[in-house]
Amino acid sequence: MISEKMRNMVKNSSAIRAMFEEGKKLAALYGAENVYDFSLGNPNLPAPAEVAEALKSEIDACDALTLHGYMSNAGYEDVRQAVADNLNARFGTDYTVPCIVMSVGAAGGLNVFLKAVLDPGDEVVVIAPFFGEYANYVANFDGKLVVVPPNPPTFQPDVKAFEKALTAKTKAVIINTPNNPTGVIYDENTLNALADAMRAAQARFGTTIYLLSDEPYRELVFGSAKQPYPAKYYENAVSGYSFSKSLSLAGERIGYLAVNRECADFDDLVGALGVATRVLGFVNSPSLIQRAVAKCLNASVDVGFYEKNGAALKKIMDECGFEYVEPQGAFYLFVKAPDGDDAAFCAEAKKHRLLLVPATGFGCKGWVRIAYCVSPATIEGSRASFKALAKQYLN
Amino acid sequence: MISEKMRNMVKNSSAIRAMFEEGKKLAALYGAENVYDFSLGNPNLPAPAEVAEALKSEIDACDALTLHGYMSNAGYEDVRQAVADNLNARFGTDYTVPCIVMSVGAAGGLNVFLKAVLDPGDEVVVIAPFFGEYANYVANFDGKLVVVPPNPPTFQPDVKAFEKALTAKTKAVIINTPNNPTGVIYDENTLNALADAMRAAQARFGTTIYLLSDEPYRELVFGSAKQPYPAKYYENAVSGYSFSKSLSLAGERIGYLAVNRECADFDDLVGALGVATRVLGFVNSPSLIQRAVAKCLNASVDVGFYEKNGAALKKIMDECGFEYVEPQGAFYLFVKAPDGDDAAFCAEAKKHRLLLVPATGFGCKGWVRIAYCVSPATIEGSRASFKALAKQYLN
């Protein structure tokens, strides 16, 4: 008696769940320490100490009616002001309180945005490889997902292909940099080229095309790499943020949407984001953690931990001879399945107690994602298994 | 450039927002203490002390990766076990872990349930007066809202009218007891009669009809009144709960769905609820507060506070000669607009600095809702204004 749409989703989800179950079975057979689970993007670093301090100080100092009560659907005004000020100081933006809509993580924010703007049949352009959940989010509002094919080996977007993907029905473009699953950063040239293409399409079709920049990995940037702030390159931009990775708060469901002041129909759009927050059943982002993150806007987990993990994993890949994309941020290594069959590669990997994710679900057949937000011991322990896998594939 | 559907929602929401703005204007003119805002269901009692204690003890004692990290979409297993145990002990139910899906408040849970079961055109029956947001939630998934007319003066459902509302397309029935906006409790006879009607319709049409019992006011019951547990009267029942009112945590967005073990297609349904939680962008209910409420399942705000508020307000209504429904729970007084025009009555009330909500939005023209989750001073202060209003209407 569940809905038809849902029946398919459950079936597809079961395939992933089956992998987790398999992982548990492997752990029972070989011991958890001998199973190398690189499947999930669940941070392995504790939240910075500032978070516990901020939580406790809010519990002690904030009036309980304010701390746990309803506020505006868009969030506490002082929290939104703090977020705006912080972004303005760091990125030279000019956000004000109405620009900021606190959200239930980035996933909640993305759904709120899509609810606000999509009519059935409207097109949303994504650039492969892309976070697979975008497909579900767009389908929630009867939008049509348009996929720009992946562009190996750099995985910077193919701008010509992007231009072709824009039509009179394009309502929004979703980008994600640093990228899940490649770890690649879209540089200034890329962001300018995408913006030019969208501006040209807007002029050609007499439409508005919103850029939705999904930025949960914004703070996870390695070495000398720089992540330009995408909303500065395009007027009609909305940034979606989550504190899941930068503060290791994935379970808390806290993030925000930041709407450029020069966005087309600004008042209508921010009004609609508030209403969408309410009618989708989010109502508002959780109150206590909302107040706490406002006090931790300059805090971060140790990004060097992930960078070191990445380096250790790359070394193993180099020793094995596997081809991969040089990550500039996030915590994923994107590795080529030597024979192009990502599903079979992951199945073989599992026999060596390696849990990897085939990238077909990210719109990029032939590659696999290795999430290295794990303990260094997991990475070191996996060496023999990767070598055995390499022997099968590369000898 | 916002969507067509959303444009209408924003327009309707603006009418309510205009009232709040008017309230602020009145407060600036006359002083906040001279404006009697009965419009919002935002609890006026602080959360019980147990909540702060539980939050702090989780922050101190729980491993940070567990406390703030991803868990199953349905919630922590130990939290779900605690909820199941608590319900079983209190209501003689037989819930197990898979029955419980933690949700982002009741609003999140309702949306998750509707996403899981509704195909476009499926009908959802509600009994007027009903919480107006149900209409939006059903529309989110292209369901069709079917309204059973109100049944004054008891506002117990008209069972004959309910029977007629059930068709071959009925996928779900939403009830809400203690009721927002009437404060009425559906008694055993009512629950049995509704269950019999649904069973008869299932047999007649060869379908499954789910009962979704929305229970944010479950614990707010006055004097000797008893709220029977609705899911015990019907097999295919799902209970939606929120800690918003019982623990004054409206801003925290924490609640759950409890699915009867004998529910049709149980495995499919609970699987779909987990997937719906993910794809709608909730992902999971917020982690810290999820763990905290699991330690406060027997805690409650002082229900006597609301009962006393209700008594004080009833006294004023009696002095004025306004007709109202005797509330058995929740924190709303449902008052008849003497001339049947609820919108005009609320507009006149506003001139006396009384902010009330017309019940047309609850599917019950001619009545108004007075939310008495306010300070006793607000109620006492409002006497002169209500008397002036009565003079206009009843002399």
mmCIF file with all atom_site columns, all heavy atoms in Angstrom, chain A residues 9-21 350:
data_model
loop_
_atom_site.group_PDB
_atom_site.id
_atom_site.type_symbol
_atom_site.label_atom_id
_atom_site.label_alt_id
_atom_site.label_comp_id
_atom_site.label_asym_id
_atom_site.label_entity_id
_atom_site.label_seq_id
_atom_site.pdbx_PDB_ins_code
_atom_site.Cartn_x
_atom_site.Cartn_y
_atom_site.Cartn_z
_atom_site.occupancy
_atom_site.B_iso_or_equiv
_atom_site.pdbx_formal_charge
_atom_site.auth_seq_id
_atom_site.auth_comp_id
_atom_site.auth_asym_id
_atom_site.auth_atom_id
_atom_site.pdbx_PDB_model_num
ATOM 1   N N   . MET A 1 9   ? 11.900 3.576  -5.120 1.00 0.00 ? 9   MET A N   1
ATOM 2   C CA  . MET A 1 9   ? 12.963 4.127  -4.277 1.00 0.00 ? 9   MET A CA  1
ATOM 3   C C   . MET A 1 9   ? 13.409 3.117  -3.228 1.00 0.00 ? 9   MET A C   1
ATOM 4   O O   . MET A 1 9   ? 14.594 2.990  -2.952 1.00 0.00 ? 9   MET A O   1
ATOM 5   C CB  . MET A 1 9   ? 12.471 5.392  -3.575 1.00 0.00 ? 9   MET A CB  1
ATOM 6   C CG  . MET A 1 9   ? 12.394 6.595  -4.488 1.00 0.00 ? 9   MET A CG  1
ATOM 7   S SD  . MET A 1 9   ? 11.954 8.060  -3.519 1.00 0.00 ? 9   MET A SD  1
ATOM 8   C CE  . MET A 1 9   ? 12.088 9.333  -4.778 1.00 0.00 ? 9   MET A CE  1
ATOM 9   N N   . VAL A 1 10  ? 12.444 2.422  -2.639 1.00 0.00 ? 10  VAL A N   1
ATOM 10  C CA  . VAL A 1 10  ? 12.778 1.436  -1.612 1.00 0.00 ? 10  VAL A CA  1
ATOM 11  C C   . VAL A 1 10  ? 13.618 0.320  -2.226 1.00 0.00 ? 10  VAL A C   1
ATOM 12  O O   . VAL A 1 10  ? 14.601 -0.129 -1.646 1.00 0.00 ? 10  VAL A O   1
ATOM 13  C CB  . VAL A 1 10  ? 11.503 0.874  -0.943 1.00 0.00 ? 10  VAL A CB  1
ATOM 14  C CG1 . VAL A 1 10  ? 11.847 -0.293 -0.027 1.00 0.00 ? 10  VAL A CG1 1
ATOM 15  C CG2 . VAL A 1 10  ? 10.783 1.969  -0.167 1.00 0.00 ? 10  VAL A CG2 1
ATOM 16  N N   . LYS A 1 11  ? 13.226 -0.091 -3.443 1.00 0.00 ? 11  LYS A N   1
ATOM 17  C CA  . LYS A 1 11  ? 13.959 -1.166 -4.114 1.00 0.00 ? 11  LYS A CA  1
ATOM 18  C C   . LYS A 1 11  ? 15.419 -0.748 -4.329 1.00 0.00 ? 11  LYS A C   1
ATOM 19  O O   . LYS A 1 11  ? 16.335 -1.471 -4.009 1.00 0.00 ? 11  LYS A O   1
ATOM 20  C CB  . LYS A 1 11  ? 13.294 -1.489 -5.466 1.00 0.00 ? 11  LYS A CB  1
ATOM 21  C CG  . LYS A 1 11  ? 13.528 -2.933 -5.909 1.00 0.00 ? 11  LYS A CG  1
ATOM 22  C CD  . LYS A 1 11  ? 12.905 -3.200 -7.271 1.00 0.00 ? 11  LYS A CD  1
ATOM 23  C CE  . LYS A 1 11  ? 11.378 -3.189 -7.235 1.00 0.00 ? 11  LYS A CE  1
ATOM 24  N NZ  . LYS A 1 11  ? 10.783 -3.202 -8.588 1.00 0.00 ? 11  LYS A NZ  1
ATOM 25  N N   . ASN A 1 12  ? 15.635 0.472  -4.854 1.00 0.00 ? 12  ASN A N   1
ATOM 26  C CA  . ASN A 1 12  ? 16.991 0.955  -5.091 1.00 0.00 ? 12  ASN A CA  1
ATOM 27  C C   . ASN A 1 12  ? 17.765 1.117  -3.792 1.00 0.00 ? 12  ASN A C   1
ATOM 28  O O   . ASN A 1 12  ? 18.951 0.823  -3.725 1.00 0.00 ? 12  ASN A O   1
ATOM 29  C CB  . ASN A 1 12  ? 16.952 2.286  -5.844 1.00 0.00 ? 12  ASN A CB  1
ATOM 30  C CG  . ASN A 1 12  ? 16.404 2.096  -7.242 1.00 0.00 ? 12  ASN A CG  1
ATOM 31  O OD1 . ASN A 1 12  ? 16.473 1.004  -7.806 1.00 0.00 ? 12  ASN A OD1 1
ATOM 32  N ND2 . ASN A 1 12  ? 15.827 3.152  -7.795 1.00 0.00 ? 12  ASN A ND2 1
ATOM 33  N N   . SER A 1 13  ? 17.072 1.608  -2.766 1.00 0.00 ? 13  SER A N   1
ATOM 34  C CA  . SER A 1 13  ? 17.741 1.789  -1.480 1.00 0.00 ? 13  SER A CA  1
ATOM 35  C C   . SER A 1 13  ? 18.165 0.452  -0.907 1.00 0.00 ? 13  SER A C   1
ATOM 36  O O   . SER A 1 13  ? 19.170 0.347  -0.230 1.00 0.00 ? 13  SER A O   1
ATOM 37  C CB  . SER A 1 13  ? 16.810 2.480  -0.483 1.00 0.00 ? 13  SER A CB  1
ATOM 38  O OG  . SER A 1 13  ? 16.607 3.806  -0.887 1.00 0.00 ? 13  SER A OG  1
ATOM 39  N N   . SER A 1 14  ? 17.366 -0.563 -1.189 1.00 0.00 ? 14  SER A N   1
ATOM 40  C CA  . SER A 1 14  ? 17.667 -1.859 -0.615 1.00 0.00 ? 14  SER A CA  1
ATOM 41  C C   . SER A 1 14  ? 19.010 -2.379 -1.113 1.00 0.00 ? 14  SER A C   1
ATOM 42  O O   . SER A 1 14  ? 19.709 -3.074 -0.390 1.00 0.00 ? 14  SER A O   1
ATOM 43  C CB  . SER A 1 14  ? 16.562 -2.861 -0.945 1.00 0.00 ? 14  SER A CB  1
ATOM 44  O OG  . SER A 1 14  ? 15.374 -2.450 -0.334 1.00 0.00 ? 14  SER A OG  1
ATOM 45  N N   . ALA A 1 15  ? 19.370 -2.040 -2.333 1.00 0.00 ? 15  ALA A N   1
ATOM 46  C CA  . ALA A 1 15  ? 20.660 -2.465 -2.876 1.00 0.00 ? 15  ALA A CA  1
ATOM 47  C C   . ALA A 1 15  ? 21.791 -1.917 -2.014 1.00 0.00 ? 15  ALA A C   1
ATOM 48  O O   . ALA A 1 15  ? 22.744 -2.626 -1.699 1.00 0.00 ? 15  ALA A O   1
ATOM 49  C CB  . ALA A 1 15  ? 20.810 -1.994 -4.316 1.00 0.00 ? 15  ALA A CB  1
ATOM 50  N N   . ILE A 1 16  ? 21.671 -0.638 -1.627 1.00 0.00 ? 16  ILE A N   1
ATOM 51  C CA  . ILE A 1 16  ? 22.701 -0.035 -0.770 1.00 0.00 ? 16  ILE A CA  1
ATOM 52  C C   . ILE A 1 16  ? 22.660 -0.675 0.623  1.00 0.00 ? 16  ILE A C   1
ATOM 53  O O   . ILE A 1 16  ? 23.682 -1.028 1.189  1.00 0.00 ? 16  ILE A O   1
ATOM 54  C CB  . ILE A 1 16  ? 22.499 1.493  -0.669 1.00 0.00 ? 16  ILE A CB  1
ATOM 55  C CG1 . ILE A 1 16  ? 22.685 2.137  -2.044 1.00 0.00 ? 16  ILE A CG1 1
ATOM 56  C CG2 . ILE A 1 16  ? 23.486 2.088  0.338  1.00 0.00 ? 16  ILE A CG2 1
ATOM 57  C CD1 . ILE A 1 16  ? 22.381 3.613  -2.090 1.00 0.00 ? 16  ILE A CD1 1
ATOM 58  N N   . ARG A 1 17  ? 21.417 -0.814 1.134  1.00 0.00 ? 17  ARG A N   1
ATOM 59  C CA  . ARG A 1 17  ? 21.290 -1.412 2.466  1.00 0.00 ? 17  ARG A CA  1
ATOM 60  C C   . ARG A 1 17  ? 21.906 -2.815 2.472  1.00 0.00 ? 17  ARG A C   1
ATOM 61  O O   . ARG A 1 17  ? 22.551 -3.210 3.430  1.00 0.00 ? 17  ARG A O   1
ATOM 62  C CB  . ARG A 1 17  ? 19.828 -1.457 2.901  1.00 0.00 ? 17  ARG A CB  1
ATOM 63  C CG  . ARG A 1 17  ? 19.745 -1.681 4.399  1.00 0.00 ? 17  ARG A CG  1
ATOM 64  C CD  . ARG A 1 17  ? 18.371 -1.590 5.008  1.00 0.00 ? 17  ARG A CD  1
ATOM 65  N NE  . ARG A 1 17  ? 17.376 -0.906 4.213  1.00 0.00 ? 17  ARG A NE  1
ATOM 66  C CZ  . ARG A 1 17  ? 16.100 -1.236 4.211  1.00 0.00 ? 17  ARG A CZ  1
ATOM 67  N NH1 . ARG A 1 17  ? 15.687 -2.267 4.932  1.00 0.00 ? 17  ARG A NH1 1
ATOM 68  N NH2 . ARG A 1 17  ? 15.224 -0.572 3.494  1.00 0.00 ? 17  ARG A NH2 1
ATOM 69  N N   . ALA A 1 18  ? 21.715 -3.540 1.376  1.00 0.00 ? 18  ALA A N   1
ATOM 70  C CA  . ALA A 1 18  ? 22.271 -4.887 1.273  1.00 0.00 ? 18  ALA A CA  1
ATOM 71  C C   . ALA A 1 18  ? 23.795 -4.862 1.440  1.00 0.00 ? 18  ALA A C   1
ATOM 72  O O   . ALA A 1 18  ? 24.371 -5.743 2.068  1.00 0.00 ? 18  ALA A O   1
ATOM 73  C CB  . ALA A 1 18  ? 21.893 -5.514 -0.063 1.00 0.00 ? 18  ALA A CB  1
ATOM 74  N N   . MET A 1 19  ? 24.413 -3.813 0.887  1.00 0.00 ? 19  MET A N   1
ATOM 75  C CA  . MET A 1 19  ? 25.865 -3.686 1.031  1.00 0.00 ? 19  MET A CA  1
ATOM 76  C C   . MET A 1 19  ? 26.256 -3.501 2.498  1.00 0.00 ? 19  MET A C   1
ATOM 77  O O   . MET A 1 19  ? 27.214 -4.103 2.976  1.00 0.00 ? 19  MET A O   1
ATOM 78  C CB  . MET A 1 19  ? 26.391 -2.517 0.206  1.00 0.00 ? 19  MET A CB  1
ATOM 79  C CG  . MET A 1 19  ? 27.910 -2.473 0.147  1.00 0.00 ? 19  MET A CG  1
ATOM 80  S SD  . MET A 1 19  ? 28.518 -1.214 -0.980 1.00 0.00 ? 19  MET A SD  1
ATOM 81  C CE  . MET A 1 19  ? 28.442 0.247  0.068  1.00 0.00 ? 19  MET A CE  1
ATOM 82  N N   . PHE A 1 20  ? 25.485 -2.630 3.203  1.00 0.00 ? 20  PHE A N   1
ATOM 83  C CA  . PHE A 1 20  ? 25.781 -2.426 4.631  1.00 0.00 ? 20  PHE A CA  1
ATOM 84  C C   . PHE A 1 20  ? 25.614 -3.730 5.404  1.00 0.00 ? 20  PHE A C   1
ATOM 85  O O   . PHE A 1 20  ? 26.415 -4.055 6.281  1.00 0.00 ? 20  PHE A O   1
ATOM 86  C CB  . PHE A 1 20  ? 24.863 -1.365 5.236  1.00 0.00 ? 20  PHE A CB  1
ATOM 87  C CG  . PHE A 1 20  ? 25.030 -0.013 4.612  1.00 0.00 ? 20  PHE A CG  1
ATOM 88  C CD1 . PHE A 1 20  ? 23.946 0.835  4.470  1.00 0.00 ? 20  PHE A CD1 1
ATOM 89  C CD2 . PHE A 1 20  ? 26.270 0.418  4.149  1.00 0.00 ? 20  PHE A CD2 1
ATOM 90  C CE1 . PHE A 1 20  ? 24.098 2.088  3.887  1.00 0.00 ? 20  PHE A CE1 1
ATOM 91  C CE2 . PHE A 1 20  ? 26.422 1.655  3.571  1.00 0.00 ? 20  PHE A CE2 1
ATOM 92  C CZ  . PHE A 1 20  ? 25.329 2.494  3.432  1.00 0.00 ? 20  PHE A CZ  1
ATOM 93  N N   . GLU A 1 21  ? 24.534 -4.447 5.068  1.00 0.00 ? 21  GLU A N   1
ATOM 94  C CA  . GLU A 1 21  ? 24.291 -5.715 5.761  1.00 0.00 ? 21  GLU A CA  1
ATOM 95  C C   . GLU A 1 21  ? 25.466 -6.651 5.514  1.00 0.00 ? 21  GLU A C   1
ATOM 96  O O   . GLU A 1 21  ? 25.958 -7.308 6.420  1.00 0.00 ? 21  GLU A O   1
ATOM 97  C CB  . GLU A 1 21  ? 22.977 -6.343 5.282  1.00 0.00 ? 21  GLU A CB  1
ATOM 98  C CG  . GLU A 1 21  ? 21.729 -5.537 5.623  1.00 0.00 ? 21  GLU A CG  1
ATOM 99  C CD  . GLU A 1 21  ? 21.595 -5.213 7.113  1.00 0.00 ? 21  GLU A CD  1
ATOM 100 O OE1 . GLU A 1 21  ? 21.933 -6.088 7.938  1.00 0.00 ? 21  GLU A OE1 1
ATOM 101 O OE2 . GLU A 1 21  ? 21.180 -4.089 7.448  1.00 0.00 ? 21  GLU A OE2 1
ATOM 102 N N   . LYS A 1 350 ? 34.725 -6.129 -2.351 1.00 0.00 ? 350 LYS A N   1
ATOM 103 C CA  . LYS A 1 350 ? 34.053 -6.634 -1.151 1.00 0.00 ? 350 LYS A CA  1
ATOM 104 C C   . LYS A 1 350 ? 34.619 -7.985 -0.737 1.00 0.00 ? 350 LYS A C   1
ATOM 105 O O   . LYS A 1 350 ? 34.707 -8.292 0.454  1.00 0.00 ? 350 LYS A O   1
ATOM 106 C CB  . LYS A 1 350 ? 32.551 -6.729 -1.424 1.00 0.00 ? 350 LYS A CB  1
ATOM 107 C CG  . LYS A 1 350 ? 31.706 -6.683 -0.175 1.00 0.00 ? 350 LYS A CG  1
ATOM 108 C CD  . LYS A 1 350 ? 30.259 -6.299 -0.479 1.00 0.00 ? 350 LYS A CD  1
ATOM 109 C CE  . LYS A 1 350 ? 29.651 -7.261 -1.473 1.00 0.00 ? 350 LYS A CE  1
ATOM 110 N NZ  . LYS A 1 350 ? 28.285 -6.819 -1.861 1.00 0.00 ? 350 LYS A NZ  1
#
